[in-house]
Amino acid sequence: MDASRRLWTRPFPPFDPDAAEVVLTVDHASADPGERMVCALLGRGHEGEEGVFHLLPDDLAARYRRTGDRLAVTLLAARSVVAADVADRDDGLNDHLAALPVDPLDPARVVLLHRETVTDHVPETRDDELRPVLLLDHVGGSPAPEDWAGLFENGASSVTVVTATEHPPARTRRPAQSPPGVTRPDS
């Protein structure tokens, strides 16, 4: 499947209808172990608005990179976090962990998913922080944007907000923080 068909830059109705969001769809039934690991990590999310979850940057993070007319999004996680989440699974994900590429900017992290698309979209900032990446999880196939609202409303999907950074950094930003009202379970 063409990965660019699973990365969109467009308004997303539950959020700001006037802003273009970066949206990735992730499939729980994917054959790609990295994508399934992303889906496993979604269970670490903390619910904000109904059906919208926030992941802490230590659990899963996104990195933008623009090269010419291409926008790339990479999803990264700490190897220790992924190992803890897939250790007891019986679907073989644990067997794939050692083969995941190491993040060249942080050797404690692994690259779970990388998608690119041709677009003129430049990720925006709000309150001096880069807008997050939205993950729309589902089971099977690649839903078209016109199908997203129905999936979301019928409970066949949820939206997870993932903190994003840029590579190379455009400017110095404040450290990533948890979304309002979200605290770590161990704090």
Side-chain angles (χ1 to χ4, degrees), residues 93-118:
L93 279 184
N94 196 34
D95 299 337
H96 296 281
L97 184 58
L100 290 175
V102 173
D103 176 12
L105 301 179
D106 181 354
R109 289 186 178 266
V110 291
V111 175
L112 297 173
L113 189 65
H114 179 85
R115 295 207 178 127
E116 295 186 22
T117 192
V118 174

Side-chain angles (χ1 to χ4, degrees), residues 3-4 6 40 46 70 93 139 156 181-182:
S4 68
R6 305 202 40 216
H46 304 272
R70 299 191 72 74
L93 279 184
V139 177
V182 174

